[in-house]
Each structure stands twice: as structure tokens, then as C-alpha cells.
Amino acid sequence: MTSHLSRRTLMTGLCGAATLPALGAAAGKAVAQQAVSLRAAYHLTPPSGWLSDPQRPAVTPAGHQLYYLHSDRNNAPGWWQRASSPDGLTFADGGTAIPLEPNFPVWTGSSVIDTENTAGFGAGAIVVLATRPSGGDRFRQEQYLYFSTDGGVSFTAYGAPVIPNPDGSDWFRDPKIHWDAHRGEWVVVIGRPQSFWFATSPDLIHWTYRSSFGYADPNIGGFECPDLFELTADDGTSHWVLGGSTQGDYTGRPDTYAYWTGSWDGATFRPDSRDPQWLDWGWDWYAGVTWPDPGSPTTRRFGLAWMNNWHYAARTVPTDVSDGYNGQMSITRELRLARQPGGWYTLLSRPHPALARRAKRTVVLPDQNVDGAKVLEFASDAYQLDLEISWSDAANVGLSVGRSADGSRHTNIGVYAGSVYVDRRPSDRADYSFGTYGQSEAPIDPTARSVRLTVLVDRQSVEVFVGAGFTVLSHQVFFRPGDNGLSLYTDGGAARFSGIVVRDFA
């Protein structure tokens, strides 16, 4: 038993990962040292303190009720904080929803609306299952129930765990529950070492184990924040999707959200293919959650994630100093399931459709023919950029965002040797370095001679959506104040940059 117990300090021993840095100082102590705010302009951040895993929102008449893990110190024991939104894109703080108890933190889980009162707390009650380490013992990760009768503002603890730990493993976490309308029962999926654990229930209280789905070779670590949902594809066929956050870099894969398409028969998930696909190829899209788009729940979902990575998460960052907080969520993205020419199905991502309407101004820049480098006449630290790049012989084409006035600092986004990449190393800060995790890349068609990009830049992040959204790369970037320029570049030949539209949120 430890006096200060956080879920990820427990992970390090099991995963074999390097020891995480020491806990940061209490949030806000050094805010006065830096006058310029670095707070994200259009991403969800906490009012103060530490933010990590999001919890799938409950959509109520009052809007989306999103919860996230929150603490007053970096990577310390915490609670569920509420953030409400009318559309799942722009959030306002709603205070503590499930509080911290001494030596008994609340970890990740999920909420559902019990429309038919199956649990007996009242029709329309919001019911949560969340992992807690019983007695502060890491080997007793168990699933506890909470319920709310005030629309998700506050919760009451039910009591003893409703899903006890079946074998004493210290990796039995993050229950994700949904109503299976085909069979009239609740389904939960729980993350385990290299597997998913499934159970069903008539009432959210009494659960029956059904099966497990394992994936051990290649090693992508244990599964956290698992996800199971049904979605209708663009050809009208219905498919189940099983996903979860992983440590894929063990074997050269992303540290983000791996997923399989397949079928669910009420007891067993059967994948369409052995190996997973990836919802994001960057370093910072972890603990992702998805939920139905209320406007089209069978064909579209929304998703967002914590923009961080456990290789470097538990440390002080620039916003601790400038604004007294640590952590932000990704932009909310829209997800659709699309059939590919080979007959397989994949999730396509694009920024939430309402994001463009939040722009304070829209700037259309002239097309550019570039052979070398070109600095554009635009400056902002928070915007969405859409453009197309086409080339014939160039070996490397791209753009630099967050460019300092002298050009020495910038983050590169480009295409080289059959890959699209984000390289934040030229923006790296010695005092907050990302070390060896400076660049990520994702495969694209090596014969392609054009690419369409949507780039989201905020004061401490970059997200890149490629083409129709099959590939996304999400990153923290610790831009300094004044890193707000934009330039284009090529190596080994010329390229044309066209359709350049910037939506400014600053």
C-alpha cells in the first residue's frame, strides 16, 4: 500500500517502462514567473491542476457531460471532474463530479444513461462504472458503481465493487459499458494485459463473464480505456469495432488507439483480421473515448483523447508555469466507417464539423509554387489550415508551423519516402524536451504525388488530418510565445501548394 497512489505509477512496474519523472510541484505556484498565457485557445484544458484520461460523455438534455481524471498535483491521486458542452466541441468546467477519498482515487471508467431504470436508481439516472484500487492495493483493481439523479452533476457511491478482480492482477481496469439493444442487456469491456475482458448484465449491478479477446504478438502492451461499439458503414453494412489504448512502440507501432472491426454475438468478439488498425499515428492521442453523434447515432461517432504519452507525461510542463495547469484534450473528431477497395473497413476521422464555425476570421492565401522555402504572410498561434500539396520530382515537401521570427524554431509537417511525418524536434525546448520522441510518421501510398492536409495548430499542440482522414498524427508541441509564423518548403524539386485556407481562432 502506498500513501500517494496514481494509476500510471502502477503501470510502470508491470509494463517494464522506464521510471516516470517525479511528481510536479503543486499547480499554480510559479504562474507569476511568466506573464504570457500559453493556455490552449480551442482545446479542453482544466481550470488548474492536472488533467488526464477523458471519460466518455453522457449526452443529456443539458448537453454533453464529459468527465476526466483531475488532480491538484501532477500525476497524483485524483477525482472525476465534469466539463459540459452543448455540442461535444466547446466545454465549460462543471466542478467535481466524483470526489477523491483518502488513499482511494477514482480511475477511468464510463457512464451510461439508464433510460429503462434497469438498475433501480430511477429512469434516466446516469450510472458510472469506474476502476478503483480497493484499499489502496494495486493488486485489487476492481469496478465500482456510482449513480446520479441530477443529470450527472454529482454522484452517489453504490458500495462494494460490482465487478471484483477475478485473479488479483494489477491490470483489470477502465470498464466501458453500453446497452446492447439487439439482446436487451448491458455489455462491459475491461482492459487487461494483452487482452480485453467481456461481461454482460441485466441491471448494471450483477455481471456474468462471457469471454476474452487476446492480442500478444507482436507485443503492443496491455489495453487501457477499451471501447466496443456498433457502427453502420458508408455501404450500409453494420460492423462492431473493438479498440483500446496501447503501448505499441514496444514493437514499432503507435502509442495510441488500436482497433479491430468485426462481429459481436453477445458473448464473443470475432475480428475481421488478425492485426489492428490505428486511429492516430502521433505520439499524443491516448486514453481515447468515442460516443455516438446524437444527430446520426448509427453512422457517426465523436472521439477525443488525452494529448500525452506515458514516456514523458508525469512532469512539469510550460503551462504549469504560465497558467497553473498541465494537460489538454485533443480536438473532438468525427468518426465514420468506410469500406475500402480491398473489401475491408476503416475508421475515417475529421475535425468536428462545428470547429470551422468557431473561427474569428478566415484567410485565403494565394497558391504558391515553391522550390526551396517560402515564408507566408500570416501569423497566429491558434488556427486550422487546409491545403493541398502536389509535386513531381521533389523528395521532401511540407510546411513549417510555429515558426519563430528568425526561423530557428518550427515544427515540420511533410511527406518523404512514402510517409507523412510530424517533426517537432526543431521546436524542442531543452527544459521540457521530448527526447527521442520528437518525430512520428505514418505510411501513405509511395506513388502519391499529391496530398490534402488539414492542420490544427494551438498554443501547445499540432494535429494533422491526412486526405479523407484515414491517417491522423497528434502531438503536443511546446511552442514559445511568438512562435506563430508559417512557411512552406521542398527538397529536391518544386511543389505547388494550393487551396490554402486558414481559419484563425486566436
Side-chain angles (χ1 to χ4, degrees):
M1 184 182 297
T2 57
S3 60
H4 294 293
L5 188 64
S6 72
R7 57 180 276 149
R8 293 314 192 282
T9 52
L10 303 184
M11 276 183 59
T12 55
L14 182 62
C15 297
T19 302
L20 295 177
L23 301 181
K29 282 188 175 180
V31 172
Q33 296 179 12
Q34 184 169 324
V36 178
S37 174
L38 298 173
R39 185 178 291 275
Y42 61 100
H43 288 74
L44 171 60
T45 59
S48 63
W50 161 272
L51 168 152
S52 61
D53 300 8
Q55 320 298 316
R56 184 188 61 203
V59 182
T60 71
H64 293 67
Q65 309 305 318
L66 174 78
Y67 306 93
Y68 61 87
L69 302 188
H70 190 221
S71 176
D72 58 1
R73 292 180 298 118
N74 291 347
N75 196 33
W79 57 90
W80 276 29
Q81 189 82 357
R82 181 173 67 95
S84 59
S85 170
D87 55 10
L89 176 64
T90 303
F91 292 88
D93 181 60
T96 299
I98 300 178
L100 170 68
E101 299 175 29
N103 201 38
F104 200 23
V106 188
W107 292 346
T108 290
S110 60
S111 63
V112 291
I113 299 176
D114 188 8
T115 305
E116 301 300 324
N117 192 27
T118 65
F121 305 123
I126 298 179
V127 178
V128 161
L129 289 190
T131 303
R132 302 188 79 168
S134 294
D137 181 354
R138 68 173 184 165
F139 290 103
R140 291 183 60 199
Q141 294 182 19
E142 301 183 298
Q143 317 314 318
Y144 287 77
L145 186 149
Y146 299 83
F147 64 92
S148 172
T149 57
D150 61 4
V153 176
S154 62
F155 287 83
T156 300
Y158 176 74
V162 296
I163 307 180
N165 192 309
D167 53 21
S169 167
D170 64 348
W171 198 305
F172 183 64
R173 59 178 71 142
D174 307 343
K176 189 67 58 65
I177 42 180
H178 76 269
W179 176 252
D180 185 346
H182 300 293
R183 299 163 189 89
E185 61 185 359
W186 298 100
V187 178
V188 66
V189 56
I190 296 175
R192 305 233 64 189
Q194 299 184 321
S195 68
F196 299 88
W197 189 95
F198 301 103
T200 61
S201 171
D203 58 9
L204 293 164
I205 298 170
H206 304 93
W207 293 90
T208 301
Y209 169 72
R210 295 301 182 189
S211 68
S212 294
F213 172 81
Y215 186 82
D217 184 21
N219 179 19
I220 58 174
F223 291 100
E224 293 202 280
C225 310
D227 209 0
L228 178 66
F229 58 88
E230 188 176 18
L231 199 59
T232 301
D234 57 359
D235 64 358
T237 58
S238 183
H239 304 262
W240 286 83
V241 177
L242 173 66
S245 288
T246 73
Q247 299 78 52
D249 71 311
Y250 288 173
T251 48
R253 292 157 178 82
D255 278 359
T256 62
Y257 182 107
Y259 72 93
W260 292 259
T261 61
S263 62
W264 169 256
D265 63 7
T268 303
F269 178 81
R270 293 180 175 83
D272 294 331
S273 61
R274 180 188 180 278
D275 295 322
Q277 301 179 64
W278 301 90
L279 200 54
D280 200 289
W281 290 78
W283 283 114
D284 299 311
W285 208 85
Y286 199 77
V289 296
T290 74
W291 67 97
D293 176 352
S296 186
T298 62
T299 60
R300 293 197 301 264
R301 292 179 77 84
F302 292 133
L304 86 167
W306 179 41
M307 292 195 75
N308 221 326
N309 187 303
W310 281 110
H311 285 297
Y312 43 73
R315 60 172 177 168
T316 298
V317 298
T319 56
D320 278 312
V321 177
S322 65
D323 297 273
Y325 79 89
N326 184 325
Q328 72 174 55
M329 298 305 177
S330 71
I331 200 66
T332 302
R333 63 174 71 174
E334 181 189 85
L335 302 173
R336 295 175 291 114
L337 191 64
R339 187 180 190 276
Q340 300 303 305
W344 50 286
Y345 293 84
T346 190
L347 291 171
L348 301 182
S349 300
R350 67 168 182 165
H352 192 300
L355 177 62
R357 298 194 292 271
R358 299 289 192 272
K360 296 180 179 179
R361 62 171 180 148
T362 298
V363 179
V364 179
L365 298 176
D367 295 351
Q368 302 286 333
N369 294 313
V370 178
D371 189 353
K374 169 74 172 180
V375 178
L376 300 183
E377 294 183 2
F378 175 82
S380 176
D381 58 10
Y383 57 90
Q384 173 179 323
L385 169 65
D386 294 278
L387 82 166
E388 183 164 350
I389 311 173
S390 56
W391 66 96
S392 295
D393 301 319
N396 182 29
V397 298
L399 60 148
S400 297
V401 301
R403 186 181 187 276
S404 61
D406 64 0
S408 63
R409 289 176 47 80
H410 50 86
T411 289
N412 294 331
I413 302 158
V415 177
Y416 174 77
S419 294
V420 59
Y421 62 85
V422 176
D423 183 2
R424 60 186 173 186
R425 289 173 296 183
S427 294
D428 208 26
R429 299 178 55 167
D431 47 350
Y432 303 106
S433 177
F434 292 103
T436 59
Y437 308 102
Q439 176 172 309
S440 69
E441 54 192 50
I444 62 170
D445 180 359
T447 67
R449 291 297 178 265
S450 68
V451 65
R452 184 76 186 172
L453 300 177
T454 294
V455 180
L456 304 182
V457 176
D458 209 338
R459 289 164 185 150
Q460 300 287 277
S461 63
V462 171
E463 295 154 284
V464 180
F465 294 76
V466 183
F470 177 74
T471 300
V472 187
L473 304 95
S474 299
H475 287 265
Q476 295 183 77
V477 183
F478 295 150
F479 295 123
R480 292 182 181 272
D483 289 355
N484 58 11
L486 175 63
S487 64
L488 313 174
Y489 62 84
T490 70
D491 294 312
R496 183 169 178 80
F497 297 77
S498 60
I500 308 172
V501 179
V502 187
R503 295 174 174 86
D504 191 4
F505 304 114

